[in-house]
Every structure is written in structure tokens, then in C-alpha cells.
Amino acid sequence: MRLGRLILALLILLVASVVALGALSWHGSIAPGTPPAPASFAQPSIAKGAQLAAIGNCETCHTQPGGRRFAGGVAIPTPYGTLYSSNITPDAATGIGAWSLPAFARAMRRGISRDGHHLYPAFPYPHFAGLDDQQIADLYAYLMTRPAAANRPADPVMQFPFNMRALMAVWNVLYGNAAAPPTASRGEQLAEGLAHCAACHSPRNELGAERTDAAYQGAEIDGWHAPALENATNPAPLPWSEEELATYLVGGLAQHHGASAGPMQAVTNNLAHADPADVRAIAAYIAGLGGPLPPSRMRRAEEVNAVLTDSAIPPIPPAGPGADIYAGACAVCHQDGWRSTSINLAPLALSSALSDDSPRDAIRVILAGRRARESEPGPQMPPFANVLNNDQLIAVLTHLRVGMMKQQPWPDLAATVTAIRREQGLR
């Protein structure tokens, strides 16, 4: 009898849970409409929307290489499967042309599509939840005045149970709002909101949500390592100033830090088109993360500044395979590592990638180089994937890390080099 009652109670609980989940996850469809005429939007609103879209890095995620702008279809690998970005052009059939402003606002802030289904948080709506009505309207005006492009992106290919969109309702209750409070500074609102900086620079938990207990402590993204940004753990040999960071964010280069690469290169390319005052506000917020510099970073900065002012000479690293390879392949541009042949090349000894606990960024830059499209800022670097074999690459990395940077060797460097070559489709 007791067993029967227990089974009945469990069934009642199960049914109640299903009903509750259904109620929580259900969202009505917002009726489709006719795409608004571009002339119905004010030019100042369109222009501001363009600047906001640059801060949000919208084009990068919604434009395939060689494809139509904002037409979607970009593959987004996740630990739970592969997503494909949406078409956000005003095409009525495959894009958002039939979306009203309220439908657009709901998707941006709550992650609910016009037809009522849940979006996945690869679209960073938890950060966009803090956008105000005017920002939403300006972004809408900008996107609705872009050329319409007919393109229906592929459906997500997600593992069970992550292919059950209704479960996103529970996720949203737990993690659906990561925006800064309304009382925050302009820089914090932008960085935590539209720019969603923490989405790349914070590690995530098993459910794919950002770990607030380790905010800005660095994370892997698209095979790269987004470094820690908080002052106590940022790997840069010299601390970032607000001025340097603002210059880097719009130009892709900081004289005392290096050039943007990987996913960050797309960010700096976009921020070059943002409102300079907004970029400055973001730089002020990020440069102050974690408060004052800890004594260990201050001592390191003093040592580095002493070398840069020629009041101290760093020991010459011993000759060896890595030093010889550096002399033949790198020194023509980077000289001794503390100087360079161009103002567009930051000294390697100031590189965050070489000081970081992860060797991923250094390996990827050497293998793939740094290319920039025409009119994009920042230096160029040729790829060395077909020039250096694994042993040679490991030797030059060790020379840079140990000989030049005076840091402990990276553990498992050989395994990481092999893994990254595989990720890049290289031998």
C-alpha cells in the first residue's frame, strides 16, 4: 500500500512538473507584419543603431565569410551541439522583416523568437536584457534598413536533452539576466550589456552559464584563450591604462601590449565604427576591474619599465635551437623582443599571449599569422604553419616563454601544439 502511494505521489509530482514547465516555457506568437519602409526610420536613429551594432559585434556572428551581411548561417560550435546564427536582415520570409519592434525587443531582452520559441544563449540575450527602449529602437532601425537577404540558416544540431527548447525556460529563470543594474556607470552598462565582454572572458559552468564567481578570469572561446581582464590576474606584463585600452579597442594595437587576434580582432574591427565616447566608457570600466593593482603586478611592471627605459639590460638568453629559429624567422621584425622595427609592432616581451597561463593564443598566431582585410587596422604577420614543424615551433615558443619572458615553461606544450594543428586542419 505504501509503495502504491509513493508511486502515485511521484506520478502527481511528475505531471505537476510537466504542467509547470509547459506554463513557464509557453510564449505566444507575435503576429507577423509587413516589413517597415526604410524611409519610416529617422536617420539619426539609423546612425546610432549602426554604432550600437558595432559595440554588439552583430555582424561577426551573423555574417558568413563571403556571405551577405547579417544573413546568418554562421556555425557556432558548443559543448552541447552546433547552432547556426539567425538571418537578421529585413527579408520577410527568412529574416526578421515580419518582426515588429515589440517582437524584436522581446527577442533581444528575453531570448524569445517572434513565433514564441526559445532562442539559445549563444545569442547573448542575458546581457542584452539591460538595453533601454531607445537602444532597442535604434538597433531595430539600423537592421530594418539593411539590404534584405534571402537565406534560411540550418537548424540547430543539439544533443539530447539540449535539443528540447522548452528547458531553456528553466535556464532563463536561473541565468537569464546578466545585465548591469540601471545605477551602474555608462561603461559598466555597455560592457556588461551590449558589448557582452564577460561572455568571452568568463568561464562557464556545466549548463553553459557564465560563472559569476569567476567573472573575467579568462576562458576558452573558439579555440582561443580570452585572457583574464581583472587587475589581479590579467597576464599583461604592464597594466592596461584606460587610454591604452581605448586605443587598442578601436585600432587593434596597443604599443605596450600587442595586436588583437582571433575573435578579438573582429571585436576591434567593429569597435572602430562605434561612438568613441562609448568605447572610452567601456575602456574605463574594464581597466578598473578588480580595483587597484596587487603588489606582485606592480613589481613586475617596475621591472619591465626599467628595461624599456634602458636602465637595465635583460640577460641574453643562451643559444639553442629556439634562439636560432627566432633569429632566422622572427628577429627581422621583432629584433631582440624588447624592440621592434615598426611602431605597428609591440615588443614581444610585453605580449599578454606569452605571459598567459595558456599557450593557445601564441601558438595560433604563429601558425596562422595575423591578416587584416583592406581598411582594417592593425599589423600583418605571415603564417608559419608550413615553415615550422612541431619541434621547431615548440623550441621557439620555449625560447620566448622561458628565455625572453623569464616565465615557467608551459605544461603539455607539445600536446597543445598538436591539438591546435588538428583544430586548424593542419598537419
Side-chain angles (χ1 to χ4, degrees):
M1 183 64 70
R2 290 181 180 177
L3 180 60
R5 290 177 180 174
L6 177 60
I7 293 175
L8 179 60
L10 289 174
L11 286 174
I12 292 173
L13 179 61
L14 178 61
V15 170
S17 299
V18 170
V19 171
L21 178 60
L24 186 63
S25 63
W26 184 86
H27 297 276
S29 172
I30 296 177
T34 303
S40 66
F41 298 102
Q43 284 301 318
S45 181
I46 297 171
K48 185 59 181 179
Q51 293 179 329
L52 294 174
I55 292 175
N57 205 30
C58 306
E59 183 174 351
T60 299
C61 288
H62 291 275
T63 305
Q64 289 181 295
R68 300 281 297 276
R69 291 182 70 205
F70 302 112
V74 177
I76 304 173
T78 78
Y80 322 103
T82 301
L83 304 170
Y84 297 88
S85 62
S86 303
N87 181 343
I88 56 173
T89 75
D91 181 69
T94 65
I96 60 171
W99 291 37
S100 63
L101 177 56
F104 180 74
R106 183 173 74 168
M108 289 291 291
R109 291 179 174 141
R110 298 173 58 197
I112 307 298
S113 182
R114 184 198 61 78
D115 64 5
H117 76 259
H118 284 270
L119 303 175
Y120 287 105
F123 173 63
Y125 61 84
H127 288 279
F128 298 162
L131 269 62
D132 62 37
D133 291 344
Q134 189 59 58
Q135 290 173 317
I136 295 284
D138 291 340
L139 282 166
Y140 183 74
Y142 174 66
L143 292 174
M144 285 299 183
T145 54
R146 300 309 92 202
N151 180 52
R152 192 178 301 280
D155 292 331
V157 182
M158 303 294 284
Q159 305 165 10
F160 179 83
F162 303 102
N163 58 347
M164 301 171 63
R165 287 184 184 266
L167 293 177
M168 288 307 306
V170 178
W171 193 95
N172 286 339
V173 170
L174 297 172
Y175 310 113
N177 191 332
T183 55
S185 68
R186 175 67 173 169
E188 183 176 357
Q189 289 179 348
L190 287 169
E192 302 292 353
L194 190 58
H196 57 282
C197 305
C200 289
H201 288 274
S202 296
R204 294 179 180 266
N205 64 20
E206 292 79 4
L207 294 178
E210 294 162 27
R211 287 178 49 198
T212 56
D213 64 326
Y216 293 106
Q217 295 303 301
E220 285 193 16
I221 179 79
D222 295 339
W224 294 74
H225 185 257
L229 298 183
E230 192 265 342
N231 273 330
T233 51
N234 184 279
L238 288 178
W240 285 88
S241 68
E242 176 185 331
E243 182 68 33
E244 286 177 311
L245 188 53
T247 299
Y248 169 81
L249 289 176
V250 298
L253 177 70
Q255 283 298 310
H256 290 152
H257 296 277
S260 60
M264 193 62 199
Q265 187 175 349
V267 172
T268 58
N269 290 340
N270 279 305
L271 287 177
H273 305 288
D275 183 338
D278 285 345
V279 176
R280 169 71 70 164
I282 293 171
Y285 172 67
I286 296 297
L289 283 174
L293 290 174
S296 59
R297 287 206 71 200
M298 294 180 67
R299 286 194 298 271
R300 173 62 174 157
E302 291 171 357
E303 294 170 358
V304 171
N305 276 316
V307 176
L308 292 176
T309 57
D310 287 332
S311 62
I313 303 298
I316 299 174
D324 294 341
I325 294 168
Y326 180 89
C330 313
V332 64
C333 292
H334 295 287
Q335 296 190 17
D336 61 2
W338 289 94
R339 302 161 187 82
S340 59
T341 58
S342 169
I343 61 172
N344 288 325
L345 294 175
L348 281 182
L350 303 183
S351 168
S352 297
L354 294 175
S355 291
D356 205 346
D357 290 340
S358 170
R360 277 191 159 270
D361 293 358
I363 295 169
R364 281 185 168 271
V365 169
I366 294 174
L367 288 176
R370 186 190 191 277
R371 303 178 183 88
R373 295 177 299 187
E374 187 177 354
S375 80
E376 287 181 348
Q380 305 274 358
M381 176 175 164
F384 286 86
N386 296 323
V387 177
L388 303 177
N389 62 32
N390 281 11
D391 290 339
Q392 292 169 326
L393 177 58
I394 291 166
V396 76
L397 284 166
T398 302
H399 168 72
L400 291 168
R401 171 77 172 178
V402 180
M404 183 182 297
M405 306 297 291
K406 310 304 178 187
Q407 301 271 353
Q408 291 297 314
W410 282 303
D412 302 321
L413 183 57
T416 307
V417 167
T418 300
I420 290 177
R421 277 196 183 267
R422 188 182 304 114
E423 291 169 11
Q424 294 183 323
L426 303 169
R427 292 184 300 169

